[in-house]
Amino acid sequence: MNHRRPTFEREIALWNAGRSIVAGIDEAGRGPLAGPVVAAAVVFPAGTKAIRGLRDSKQLPPLKRERLAAVVWARAVAVGVGAASVREIDRLNIRRATILAMRRALARLHLVPAGVLVDGLPLPELGCPHDAIVDGDVYCQSIAAASVVAKTVRDRLMRRLAQRHPEYAWADNKGYGTPEHLAALLVFGPSRHHRTSFEPVSQLALF
């Protein structure tokens, strides 16, 4: 596990350059076989202190992630959440659907960012100038915060879907291709919440 703590180093550089509204963006749910992809954009007030314990959402146990998400919502001056549906993922492909979710998250901010920090590689289709940071959720507080928000929102959605489709155990696997999920797919076939463009769902959807 990477124990590096994300900092506000990149945000401070932008704040000092007069760009007081800086949004960090990240997503959750690129890899699962079912459910939407969710993105979040988070804006902290300039000069804010780092949130203790904040990490990339994948490094956090669920209860701690929920607690940190509540802190992010309380500390941030703006949070936007966007999603792309299973149909959009299948129609556009997961990369383009992820960017669509990110654009929706940005659009739902009530502030217009003067700087945008994105996890990963540059995304020309995002439609706005941005700084891309590989492993940004490890190094950057705003991106890590967006990661935690996106993950908690998506997990809640998957728990709700699990109540309608308990056979796939989405409350536990959140749509990822665990052995239990794959076994259920073989028995029950894909649901309307499965991504038919993803293997092995695409093969099962033919039958």
Side-chain angles (χ1 to χ4, degrees), residues 135-146:
D135 292 330
D137 46 9
V138 174
Y139 299 108
C140 175
Q141 277 268 320
S142 295
I143 295 176

Side-chain angles (χ1 to χ4, degrees), residues 156-179:
R156 289 171 197 162
L157 288 171
M158 294 309 296
R159 287 195 294 269
R160 286 206 289 268
L161 288 177
Q163 293 174 359
R164 303 179 203 171
H165 300 277
E167 63 272 21
Y168 301 108
W170 288 336
D172 297 320
N173 61 52
K174 307 303 185 292
Y176 284 88
T178 62

Side-chain angles (χ1 to χ4, degrees), residues 1-90:
M1 180 181 291
N2 190 326
H3 294 284
R4 182 184 176 96
R5 297 178 180 180
T7 71
F8 276 117
E9 180 180 351
R10 297 296 291 267
E11 293 91 335
I12 289 169
L14 292 170
W15 294 336
N16 289 342
R19 298 159 78 179
S20 60
I21 302 174
V22 178
I25 306 177
D26 202 1
E27 51 72 30
R30 283 182 67 118
L33 304 179
V37 60
V38 175
V42 175
V43 179
F44 287 112
T48 193
K49 299 285 180 70
I51 296 175
R52 185 176 180 180
L54 186 63
R55 297 283 190 280
D56 164 21
S57 63
K58 296 183 290 297
Q59 297 181 7
L60 296 167
L63 287 178
K64 187 171 184 180
R65 190 164 52 231
E66 288 282 349
R67 288 196 296 268
L68 285 167
V71 174
V72 171
W73 282 95
R75 291 262 204 104
V77 293
V79 178
V81 177
S85 69
V86 167
R87 287 187 179 181
E88 289 171 324
I89 292 168
D90 287 337

Side-chain angles (χ1 to χ4, degrees), residues 82-103:
S85 69
V86 167
R87 287 187 179 181
E88 289 171 324
I89 292 168
D90 287 337
R91 187 178 80 247
L92 298 172
N93 74 42
I94 187 59
R95 181 182 182 278
R96 292 170 62 194
T98 298
I99 296 170
L100 177 61
M102 289 179 170
R103 294 181 65 164

